């Protein structure tokens, strides 16, 4: 009789309302982070015919999202700015993730009065926060979750999904590799070989174009050695954010254990999830709070929900023969459902202590709280004003590079756009991607004119003042070229009084070049 039941209208109405709530929250909290502007520069340069480069003449893969960057470039080519396209696409794939899990919940819970999994996911703060951000997180999350669901059903379409995920982020290759092993183990050869060949072609293109099979971001952020201690802090940060989610992890663990024990054919599937978790621990996570956990969290929640559904079914059809645990669940069904929803609904900001926000916790930050929606706006920039200059910038200033368009831009915090700086050894580990130490030689070797921030220990440099949206910002002079600065200093948004005051005080000729190293 259970198979004849259908979900009641309340199930669909509530599902629709909570998906609408998720959409509203994603739209309300839309934002763009500084890292996204690295990809935006690559995308624009490609659409303008300069190549998939950060600046003309030097091929360095300073992004971690090949397919996402290509997609943004195509949008730019037809007149859709990456700020708009990234936000719209991110929200679309966030809703797509909710939709595929709604389909699964609808399939598993015939006869339910109310939705459970879809509510749990729709109120998940970091899921709708990273629906936007300008990064590929939402797209990658959809591809991984959809691919894992297809893997459960042994649907061959999963190879396309995981292949796309490997083009979106390097971690996607882990899932593509393990599903290929799974198929080969079951003597299904042609699709693993075909998509393995396609992925090798992609690596060949990467080597031909960038002279490396790994993106430069790997060396800048992930090639500093094991960082398990930071990985533990990254996990604890997640638990501080969602203290009740341990309940979900416990139930998901039960489901994984049962599936591996009684359904041996799924061991590769669950191994991929476990390996991804270990990978996050190994690299130390990310400086953005919870971002690296997001791609697998919806699937872990789904596994916990599936276990709850199993208990629910057994409590109905085996009431006289059920185990003590199942009978206990039957008496507390509503309480379990309530805690399942609370596990994501209860969010505490780890950076807010006694009403005061701290900047970070063990190097982990909430980027959305810092940037809000300021980087979505494209107004207030003096477009192309640094076109004659070679500049050094730090991660948070990537948006200035996109709009001010210097002739050369050196990312001097982790070396995302610089092959040599990215491979520098790090003496002391700290915040992921912010650990390399800038030296005077680094600036001299790259013939830098302006630093967008002075992070040289003990160095006092003259500055020019740039007014961005009524906010005065100091950019520091490393090498002074009179011809370049005369053109810059007459622009309305720039003030060079400090620079010329130093020339006057020291009786230097402002018509002669000067180095301030």
């Amino acid at each position: 009789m259970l198979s004849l039941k259908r979900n009641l209208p309340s199930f669909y109405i509530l599902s629709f309302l909570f998906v609408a709530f998720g959409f509203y929250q994603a739209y309300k909290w839309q934002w763009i982070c500084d890292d996204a502007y690295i990809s935006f520069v690559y995308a624009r340069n490609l659409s303008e015919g300069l190549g998939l480069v950060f600046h003309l003449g030097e091929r360095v893969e300073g992004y971690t999202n090949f397919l996402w960057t290509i997609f943004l470039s195509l949008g730019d080519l037809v007149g859709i700015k990456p700020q708009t396209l990234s936000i719209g696409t991110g929200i679309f794939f966030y809703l797509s993730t909710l939709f595929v899990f709604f389909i699964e919940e609808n399939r598993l819970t015939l006869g339910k009065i109310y939705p459970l999994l879809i509510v749990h996911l729709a109120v998940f703060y970091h899921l709708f926060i990273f629906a936007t951000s300008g990064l590929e997180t939402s797209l990658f999350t959809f591809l991984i979750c959809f691919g894992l669901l297809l893997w459960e059903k042994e649907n061959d379409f999963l190879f396309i999904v995981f292949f796309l995920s490997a083009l979106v982020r390097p971690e996607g290759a882990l899932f593509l590799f393990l599903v290929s092993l799974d198929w080969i183990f079951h003597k299904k050869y042609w699709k693993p070989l075909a998509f393995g060949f396609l992925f090798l072609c992609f690596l060949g293109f990467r080597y031909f174009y960038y002279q490396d099979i790994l993106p430069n971001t790997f060396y800048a952020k992930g090639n500093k050695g094991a960082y398990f201690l930071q990985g533990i802090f990254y996990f604890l940060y997640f638990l501080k954010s969602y203290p009740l989610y341990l309940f979900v992890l416990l139930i998901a663990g039960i489901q994984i254990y049962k599936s591996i024990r009684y359904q041996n054919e799924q061991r590769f599937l669950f191994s991929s999830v476990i390996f991804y978790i270990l990978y996050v621990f190994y690299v130390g996570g990310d400086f953005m709070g919870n971002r690296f956990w997001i791609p697998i969290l919806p699937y872990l929640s789904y596994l916990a929900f599936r276990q709850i559904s199993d208990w629910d079914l057994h409590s109905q059809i085996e009431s006289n023969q059920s185990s003590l645990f199942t009978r206990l669940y039957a008496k507390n069904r509503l309480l379990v459902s309530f805690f399942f929803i609370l596990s994501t609904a209860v969010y505490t900001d780890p950076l807010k202590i006694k009403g005061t926000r701290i900047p970070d916790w063990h190097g982990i930050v909430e980027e959305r709280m810092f940037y809000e929606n300021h980087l979505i706006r494209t107004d207030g920039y003096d477009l192309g004003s640094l076109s004659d200059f070679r500049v050094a910038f730090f991660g948070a200033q990537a948006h200035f590079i996109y709009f001010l368009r210097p002739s050369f831009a050196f990312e001097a915090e982790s070396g995302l756009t610089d092959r040599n700086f990215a491979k520098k050894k790090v003496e002391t580990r700290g915040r992921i991607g912010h650990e390399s130490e800038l030296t005077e030689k680094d600036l001299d070797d790259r013939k830098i004119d302006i630093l967008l921030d002075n992070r040289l220990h003990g160095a006092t440099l003259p500055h020019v003042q740039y007014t961005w949206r009524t906010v005065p910002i100091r950019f520091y002079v490393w090498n002074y070229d009179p011809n370049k600065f005369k053109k810059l200093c007459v622009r309305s948004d720039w003030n060079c009084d400090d620079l010329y005051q130093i020339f006057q005080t020291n009786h230097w000729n402002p018509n002669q070049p000067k180095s301030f190293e």
Side-chain angles (χ1 to χ4, degrees):
M1 293 298 295
L2 286 173
S3 63
L4 299 177
K5 291 185 179 182
R6 291 295 180 267
N7 286 325
L8 297 175
S10 59
F11 179 91
Y12 298 103
I13 293 172
L14 288 171
S15 295
F16 172 80
L17 289 176
F18 275 95
V19 169
F21 171 81
F23 169 75
Y24 167 76
Q25 292 288 67
Y27 184 81
K28 172 187 173 183
W29 290 90
Q30 61 182 284
W31 66 295
I32 292 177
C33 70
D34 55 80
D35 276 10
Y37 273 90
I38 299 286
S39 295
F40 291 177
V41 172
Y42 277 93
R44 183 186 60 193
N45 286 345
L46 180 60
S47 71
E48 293 180 351
L50 302 178
L52 199 53
V53 296
F54 196 73
H55 41 253
L56 186 64
E58 187 173 358
R59 294 183 178 183
V60 180
E61 190 176 1
Y63 53 87
T64 322
N65 44 24
F66 171 80
L67 194 60
W68 180 250
T69 301
I70 297 296
F71 174 71
L72 295 178
S73 177
L74 293 175
D76 199 58
L77 196 62
V78 298
I80 306 175
K81 294 301 179 184
Q83 294 86 349
T84 302
L85 185 58
S86 64
I87 288 174
T89 305
I91 292 177
F92 172 80
F93 281 106
Y94 165 68
L95 295 176
S96 298
T97 301
L98 294 182
F99 179 74
V100 296
F101 283 110
F102 164 75
I103 295 297
E104 288 302 306
E105 180 170 13
N106 191 42
R107 179 180 65 84
L108 290 171
T109 60
L110 295 175
K112 277 284 186 180
I113 299 174
Y114 55 86
L116 187 58
L117 178 60
I118 200 68
V119 176
H120 168 95
L121 294 177
V123 299
F124 209 149
Y125 175 78
H126 276 88
L127 284 188
F128 57 70
I129 284 295
F130 279 101
T132 55
S133 82
L135 296 173
E136 73 294 335
T137 306
S138 181
L139 169 60
F140 187 64
T141 300
F142 168 76
L143 291 172
I144 294 302
C145 291
F146 189 37
L148 291 171
L149 291 173
L150 292 175
W151 196 345
E152 286 185 359
K153 301 175 179 62
E154 299 184 2
N155 188 316
D156 290 349
F157 186 67
L158 69 91
F159 277 95
I160 297 176
V161 174
F162 280 142
F163 176 68
L164 293 176
S165 76
L167 299 186
V168 171
R169 279 196 64 85
E171 295 91 340
L174 168 67
F175 295 91
L176 179 63
F177 173 72
L178 287 174
V179 76
S180 298
L181 283 184
D182 190 11
W183 253 239
I184 290 172
F185 184 80
H186 289 93
K187 299 182 180 180
K188 302 176 184 179
Y189 298 110
W190 81 268
K191 286 201 173 182
L193 294 176
F195 282 93
F197 174 76
L198 289 176
F199 188 69
L200 287 176
C201 289
F202 168 66
L203 294 182
F205 157 77
R206 176 180 277 161
Y207 184 80
F208 171 78
Y209 199 81
Y210 293 115
Q211 288 76 54
D212 204 324
I213 64 171
L214 295 172
N216 196 56
T217 49
F218 168 76
Y219 301 106
K221 293 185 176 182
N223 191 36
K224 310 301 184 185
Y227 204 3
F228 282 110
L229 179 60
Q230 183 64 18
I232 292 172
F233 284 127
Y234 197 64
F235 179 65
L236 291 177
Y237 184 91
F238 173 71
L239 294 183
K240 285 169 69 73
S241 304
Y242 302 96
L244 298 182
Y245 201 84
L246 267 176
F247 173 75
V248 175
L249 294 177
L250 176 63
I251 299 177
I254 294 172
Q255 178 67 20
I256 291 174
Y257 169 76
K258 288 174 59 178
S259 298
I260 292 177
R261 182 175 180 182
Y262 300 112
Q263 295 175 291
N264 202 34
E265 65 275 6
Q266 292 189 348
R267 64 186 181 278
F268 281 101
L269 188 162
F270 293 119
S271 294
S272 68
V273 176
I274 294 170
F275 274 121
Y276 180 85
I277 293 172
L278 292 175
Y279 161 79
V280 175
F281 273 103
Y282 175 82
V283 299
D286 184 41
F287 67 93
M288 293 191 202
N290 300 320
R291 183 169 76 104
F292 272 25
W293 297 124
I294 287 173
I296 59 165
L297 287 176
Y299 186 73
L300 289 174
S301 293
Y302 160 76
L303 291 178
F305 168 75
R306 205 169 75 183
Q307 181 58 55
I308 292 172
S309 297
D310 289 346
W311 289 334
D312 196 48
L313 181 63
H314 293 157
S315 68
Q316 294 180 55
I317 64 177
E318 298 179 4
S319 57
N320 295 325
Q321 302 176 6
S322 298
S323 65
L324 175 63
F325 188 85
T326 305
R327 292 197 299 272
L328 183 64
Y329 165 79
K331 294 178 181 179
N332 297 277
R333 182 182 293 113
L334 290 178
L335 185 62
V336 172
S337 298
F338 183 62
F339 265 89
F340 184 71
I341 292 173
L342 281 182
S343 65
T344 52
V346 175
Y347 166 69
T348 60
D349 186 350
L351 303 183
K352 192 172 184 179
I353 301 175
K354 296 181 180 180
T356 303
R357 288 190 61 81
I358 59 176
D360 69 280
W361 187 79
H362 290 280
I364 306 168
V365 300
E366 287 295 329
E367 292 274 279
R368 173 59 178 81
M369 296 300 179
F370 179 77
Y371 289 109
E372 297 181 336
N373 64 350
H374 297 307
L375 300 190
I376 295 177
R377 296 168 51 193
T378 59
D379 64 302
Y381 293 90
D382 188 12
L383 301 179
S385 56
L386 293 181
S387 59
D388 293 331
F389 291 86
R390 297 173 67 87
V391 308
F393 73 101
F394 304 87
Q397 300 154 337
H399 60 110
F400 289 125
I401 304 305
Y402 180 83
F403 290 105
L404 307 188
R405 302 194 71 161
S407 61
F408 176 88
F410 163 46
E411 199 285 296
E413 194 161 49
S414 60
L416 290 176
T417 63
D418 189 281
R419 195 185 313 276
N420 294 323
F421 193 78
K423 294 179 180 179
K424 286 184 68 172
K425 291 185 178 180
V426 174
E427 300 297 332
T428 304
R429 298 304 305 265
R431 180 188 295 185
I432 301 293
H434 299 73
E435 300 161 299
S436 297
E437 184 174 349
L438 181 67
T439 66
E440 295 181 358
K441 186 177 185 304
D442 294 322
L443 300 175
D444 289 337
D445 289 347
R446 293 159 182 83
K447 301 177 181 179
I448 297 301
D449 300 311
I450 292 177
L451 290 84
L452 300 196
D453 193 6
N454 183 7
R455 299 193 184 181
L456 290 170
H457 297 302
T460 301
L461 301 175
H463 68 268
V464 296
Q465 182 172 288
Y466 168 59
T467 302
W468 173 61
R469 298 177 185 166
T470 73
V471 179
I473 300 173
R474 290 182 175 184
F475 291 165
Y476 296 87
V477 181
W478 184 251
N479 281 308
Y480 171 80
D481 183 318
N483 295 323
K484 294 180 182 180
F485 277 89
K486 283 179 181 178
K487 293 179 183 178
L488 180 69
C489 294
V490 297
R491 301 178 77 105
S492 59
D493 292 332
W494 297 83
N495 185 318
C496 300
D497 289 349
D498 177 78
L499 174 64
Y500 289 125
Q501 180 64 44
I502 290 177
F503 270 86
Q504 184 177 355
T505 301
N506 292 280
H507 305 290
W508 296 331
N509 185 351
N511 295 314
Q512 295 293 325
K514 177 68 178 177
S515 176
F516 292 98
E517 58 182 287

